[in-house]
């Protein structure tokens, strides 16, 4: 099992950052590994909502199903995988910061089978992808392109 955490400060209001990052329709805009993400249950997103994410990770197409386990605007969103290559959970926390919002994103994953052999590579890839995605989200939000 591995846990990675990334932080980023975004010069926008916390509610705006929360709304942008937790909307499945925006995910492919800020996360380059995501091909598409869709809400499978009726909107809006809330605890119990189901989400499907199609991704390209390390050159392989993957699909993850998610169940939202916490949704407290504008502070927290969390989800746990219901399908995919490995059990995974993610949590986004949003805190007011002197110039806007500090986002903390944490991913916990438990690679099994052959993935356990390359767990450090999987963890490093997840960390760098998450950091790049958050940087892209900051760029979009601060430029007004969100």
């Amino acid at each position: 099992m591995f846990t990675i955490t990334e932080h980023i400060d975004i010069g926008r209001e916390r509610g705006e950052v929360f709304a942008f990052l937790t909307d499945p329709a925006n995910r492919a805009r800020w996360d380059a590994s995501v091909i598409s993400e869709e809400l499978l249950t009726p909107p809006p997103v809330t605890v119990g909502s189901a989400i499907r994410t199609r991704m390209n990770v390390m050159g392989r197409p993957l699909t993850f199903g998610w169940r939202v386990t916490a949704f407290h605007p504008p502070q927290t969103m969390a989800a746990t995988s219901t399908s995919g290559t490995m059990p995974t959970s993610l949590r986004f926390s949003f805190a007011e910061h002197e110039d806007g919002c500090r986002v903390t994103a944490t991913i916990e994953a438990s690679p099994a089978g052959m993935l356990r052999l390359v767990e450090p590579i999987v963890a490093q890839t997840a960390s760098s992808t998450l950091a790049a995605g958050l940087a892209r989200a900051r760029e979009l939000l601060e430029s007004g392109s969100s």
Side-chain angles (χ1 to χ4, degrees), residues 61-89:
L62 302 174
T63 300
F64 274 88
W66 302 95
R67 181 74 56 199
V68 176
T69 57
F71 195 80
H72 306 288
Q75 299 100 275
T76 307
M77 178 187 181
T80 301
S81 65
T82 57
S83 64
T85 56
M86 66 185 126
T88 304
S89 65

Side-chain angles (χ1 to χ4, degrees), residues 4-8 90-93 103-107 130 134:
I4 57 168
T5 300
E6 295 290 337
H7 307 274
I8 195 162
L90 60 91
R91 179 177 194 83
F92 287 99
S93 298
V103 179
T104 301
T106 302
I107 297 173
L130 181 59
L134 291 173

Side-chain angles (χ1 to χ4, degrees), residues 93-111:
S93 298
F94 303 83
E96 291 182 9
H97 192 277
E98 58 193 48
D99 293 324
C101 177
R102 172 162 288 167
V103 179
T104 301
T106 302
I107 297 173
E108 292 182 354
S110 299

Side-chain angles (χ1 to χ4, degrees), residues 3-17:
T3 301
I4 57 168
T5 300
E6 295 290 337
H7 307 274
I8 195 162
D9 295 333
I10 299 176
R12 301 302 270 192
E13 190 268 329
R14 179 171 66 158
E16 180 184 355
V17 176

Side-chain angles (χ1 to χ4, degrees), residues 119-142:
E119 184 173 319
I121 295 167
V122 173
Q124 178 56 45
T125 299
S127 181
S128 63
T129 299
L130 181 59
L134 291 173
R136 175 70 178 141
R138 177 176 57 196
E139 186 179 299
L140 290 168
L141 284 159
E142 290 181 354

